[in-house]
Amino acid sequence: MTKKSGPAGWQEITTGSVVLRPGSASEYHTGSWRAQRPVWNNSKCIQCGICYIFCPEGCVAQSEDGYFKANLDYCKGCGICAKECRPGAITMVEEER
């Protein structure tokens, strides 16, 4: 039986889930584990940008027609955009699995 090799101690274990290079977070799609996703109703949207301002992930962007939407590759489904939307143009819906 061969002996398994590995780190000699905990100090030598590579830390996971850490962004080591500035600007590299965009390489990691993190939206796959959310339970809910935001859906915009553009007929209610007044294009104020509050959803864009309050999004903690920075995944809400304005499209060419002036309306906003979330990049679901990075959206965590926190619901802050929907909570802050005064006209109620954003609703959170259950993610289909």
Side-chain angles (χ1 to χ4, degrees):
M1 186 170 188
T2 61
K3 184 179 178 183
K4 292 183 180 180
S5 63
W10 66 269
Q11 297 91 344
E12 296 173 5
I13 297 174
T14 304
T15 306
S17 302
V18 176
V19 176
L20 300 174
R21 291 180 291 112
S24 66
S26 63
E27 297 172 11
Y28 305 101
H29 293 181
T30 56
S32 63
W33 54 266
R34 74 179 160 269
Q36 296 184 327
R37 62 182 166 86
V39 175
W40 272 257
N41 179 346
N42 289 346
S43 65
K44 291 183 179 181
C45 180
I46 60 173
Q47 300 178 355
C48 64
I50 293 296
C51 54
Y52 168 81
I53 293 168
F54 277 92
C55 177
E57 297 301 322
C59 66
V60 175
Q62 192 171 24
S63 60
E64 289 186 16
D65 60 359
Y67 293 105
F68 292 85
K69 64 179 182 177
N71 182 338
L72 297 180
D73 285 336
Y74 304 101
C75 175
K76 306 293 190 304
C78 68
I80 293 174
C81 58
K83 178 73 173 169
E84 296 298 330
C85 182
R86 300 269 169 132
I90 306 170
T91 55
M92 299 300 292
V93 298
E94 293 293 321
E95 194 67 81
E96 295 177 12
R97 296 289 171 188

